[in-house]
Amino acid sequence: MMVKSSKKRGLFLGVCASLIILAGCGNNEETAEDASTASSTVESSEMASSTTESAEVVTTASISNDPADVVAGLSAEGTWIYAITDDVTVSEDLIVAGTFYDGGEESGDVYRKLALYAQDEDRNVTDEFTLTAPMMTVESPNFRIQNGTFVGDVIVKAEGFELFESTVEGDVTFDSQELMDAAKLDEGTVTGETTVAE
């Protein structure tokens, strides 16, 4: 039991360390591949060494496996990046709302990310997670789901939706052909239908 606890603590500190560097992350291809740590596609080559650092990380990005936190974290009052560190099931529909900026700074590009994976110090993805909900409605522009799997249908109402090495087990429906044309789905997988709403 002590070994399991130490392992979980190590994973948590690793995720937090990655998030500390998160503010400097960009949304270009190199950054995408560097992806951040512990399901928060956060980037880091350092390890957190104290709970104080862990607490500071929360202001930069949200990491929680509590369904209520996931709903709040993806809302307009949430953060520019949200990460889970285990499989999570949410009973209600998810609304990804609000305009956010890379690194949480308005000087950055408009960008938002959902990280469904963990990574090691060398930025190698070490685990991927599944987020399940009846439906996800994307109202935030340039929203990316990175690694892992979303189980449920997705409705896209904003430009720049992207799947990066991630899977949607469900249908993806765009509000218009323009939104579909602006999406980046080549690096991901949609197991259902990808259509434009009629």
Side-chain angles (χ1 to χ4, degrees):
M1 182 169 180
M2 180 176 258
V3 173
K4 187 173 183 181
S5 176
S6 295
K7 184 176 179 182
K8 285 186 175 181
R9 184 168 187 270
L11 174 61
F12 176 74
L13 290 177
V15 171
C16 291
S18 310
L19 290 176
I20 291 172
I21 307 293
L22 183 59
C25 295
N27 64 350
N28 58 26
E29 285 304 314
E30 183 177 331
T31 298
E33 291 174 8
D34 288 345
S36 313
T37 167
S39 86
S40 82
T41 64
V42 175
E43 306 184 13
S44 162
S45 59
E46 301 176 5
M47 294 295 291
S49 59
S50 71
T51 54
T52 300
E53 289 177 338
S54 300
E56 291 173 356
V57 164
V58 177
T59 64
T60 304
S62 291
I63 305 174
S64 175
N65 298 324
D66 184 292
D69 290 343
V70 174
V71 172
L74 293 175
S75 72
E77 287 73 41
T79 55
W80 75 279
I81 185 169
Y82 195 90
I84 59 174
T85 57
D86 203 348
D87 295 343
V88 177
T89 297
V90 178
S91 60
E92 62 186 281
D93 292 348
L94 293 171
I95 308 293
V96 181
T99 298
F100 292 81
Y101 301 87
D102 193 13
E105 300 292 333
E106 290 191 21
S107 58
D109 294 333
V110 173
Y111 181 62
R112 199 168 193 193
K113 183 187 291 186
L114 172 61
L116 303 178
Y117 68 95
Q119 71 177 22
D120 62 19
E121 294 176 349
D122 297 320
R123 299 173 183 164
N124 298 308
V125 173
T126 57
D127 206 352
E128 295 190 344
F129 309 108
T130 298
L131 174 60
T132 303
M135 182 178 295
M136 177 189 292
T137 300
V138 178
E139 299 175 357
S140 290
N142 297 337
F143 177 66
R144 167 191 278 191
I145 300 175
Q146 187 158 327
N147 292 88
T149 301
F150 175 72
V151 177
D153 293 332
V154 178
I155 296 176
V156 180
K157 297 177 174 287
E159 189 173 349
F161 178 68
E162 180 179 5
L163 296 179
F164 185 80
E165 298 183 357
S166 56
T167 299
V168 171
E169 289 188 4
D171 297 334
V172 176
T173 305
F174 292 88
D175 263 10
S176 69
Q177 185 64 49
E178 290 75 18
L179 293 179
M180 181 183 240
D181 292 343
K184 298 176 183 177
L185 306 179
D186 293 345
E187 298 290 333
T189 302
V190 177
T191 63
E193 296 184 354
T194 301
T195 58
V196 174
E198 297 180 2

